[in-house]
């Protein structure tokens, strides 16, 4: 299903150079009412030509107005890493460089070097950029962890304002709040929850909206790959936010999966969030395992996103198995030698099958 969400990928970034084929493809997609742009989209087929299946993940996703992205770590100088990143992916997110511990190591002293490098890299290549993550209980710098009450509230607000403000206009989607719910659907009892009470998530979203009015503002979590107690808890929050006009535009489903994953309610779960009026994004996809079983799970995730019009796209959590946070499970689409795995072919075929 081609995405029908208006303004899905209206560029929020400054003008970029585009190849002729990209401009042509954008014209085709724009004519179809899909405001999508991908730097790797194939040349628009002439009236007489048959539509050629796209040969890269980003180009295949662009055919249905979506992106296909990856988390990026600091391996720019490695030719195979950079070559695969450039060729295959139309969206990027910093695996660690834009988190609180990296961007504000000391109170009100900011270090944007890692994030700036990725943003500049992506902008020069016309790639979408996801921001990850403004507020999270993990990877907080040490000075945050002892703060209490309004002191913590002011520190959180300042962090969001300064980081989202620094990248304003360049980020397509921000993970504003990450992993704030427990498996039973209750709030995680983090320092943020304990010190600030239930209102801290709404506060974070309102602060982010002020700092960057253009970015899609996302709530991001794991273990939400089905209709379950955790996704129910998040669903209740998003429904309440939408009813009260709290600025939330998107829900991120991390989707850290195994090859035996039961995805029987995955699509319905995405759809029920989309029916609340938010976009849905697969934000950190990786699937522990190998061969056909792993490929089948990747295929199901891609097909589920393609079946939900408001699913903007998919991000895998890394380029190559060898740098994955769960490397021993070989969870990604390229092996340690940057060779395409069976799962790659399954995803590419699924994306091409949905070409508009
Ligand atoms: O930068 C330091 C380096 O200076 C030091 O020498 C080295 C050894 O201690 O550690 C380096 O920091 C590591 C950091 O990754 C950057 O490589 C941290 O120890 C390590 O804990 C951190 O792991 C990251 C993890 O989040 C932290 O929770 C992973 O790379 C990253 O893939 C993972 O990503 C998270 C998402 O942000 C949220 N969803 C879950 C996902 C997987 O945990």
């Amino acid at each position: 299903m081609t995405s029908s969400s208006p303004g899905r990928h209206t560029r929020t970034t400054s003008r970029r150079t585009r190849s002729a084929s990209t401009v042509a493809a954008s014209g085709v997609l724009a004519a179809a009412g899909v405001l999508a742009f991908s730097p790797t989209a194939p040349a628009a087929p002439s009236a007489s030509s048959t539509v050629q299946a796209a040969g890269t993940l980003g180009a295949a996703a662009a055919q249905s107005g979506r992106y296909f992205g990856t988390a990026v770590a600091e391996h720019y100088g490695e030719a195979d890493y950079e070559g695969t990143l450039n060729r295959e992916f139309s969206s990027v997110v910093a695996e660690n460089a834009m988190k609180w511990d990296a961007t504000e190591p000391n109170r009100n002293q900011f270090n944007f070097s890692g994030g700036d490098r990725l943003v500049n890299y992506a902008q020069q290549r016309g790639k979408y950029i996801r921001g990850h993550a403004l507020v999270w209980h993990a990877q907080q710098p040490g000075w945050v962890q002892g703060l209490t009450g309004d002191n913590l509230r002011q520190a959180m607000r300042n962090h969001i304002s300064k980081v989202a403000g620094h990248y304003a206009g360049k980020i397509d989607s921000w993970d504003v709040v990450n992993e704030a719910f427990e498996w039973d659907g209750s709030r995680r009892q983090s320092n943020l929850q304990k010190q600030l009470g239930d209102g801290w998530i709404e506060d974070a979203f309102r602060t982010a909206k002020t700092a960057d009015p253009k970015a899609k503002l996302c709530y991001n979590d794991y273990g939400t790959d089905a209709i379950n107690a955790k996704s129910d808890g998040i669903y209740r929050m998003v429904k309440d936010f939408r009813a009260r006009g709290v600025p939330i535009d998107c829900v991120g489903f991390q989707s850290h999966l195994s090859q035996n994953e039961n995805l029987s309610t995955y699509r319905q779960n995405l759809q029920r969030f989309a029916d609340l009026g938010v976009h849905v994004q697969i934000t950190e996809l990786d699937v522990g395992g190998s061969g056909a079983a792993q490929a089948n799970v990747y295929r199901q995730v891609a097909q589920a996103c393609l079946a939900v019009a408001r699913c903007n796209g998919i991000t895998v959590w890394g380029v190559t198995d060898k740098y994955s946070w769960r490397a021993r499970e070989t969870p990604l689409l390229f092996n340690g030698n940057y060779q395409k795995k069976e799962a790659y072919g399954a995803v590419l075929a699924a994306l091409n099958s949905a070409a508009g």
Side-chain angles (χ1 to χ4, degrees), residues 95-96 99 132 136 139 178-179 254 256 284 317 325:
E95 186 171 3
N96 291 292
K99 293 173 179 175
H132 175 80
W136 185 22
Q139 289 184 270
N178 193 47
E179 303 178 10
Q254 292 183 13
H256 293 295
E284 304 182 15
W317 205 241
W325 70 294

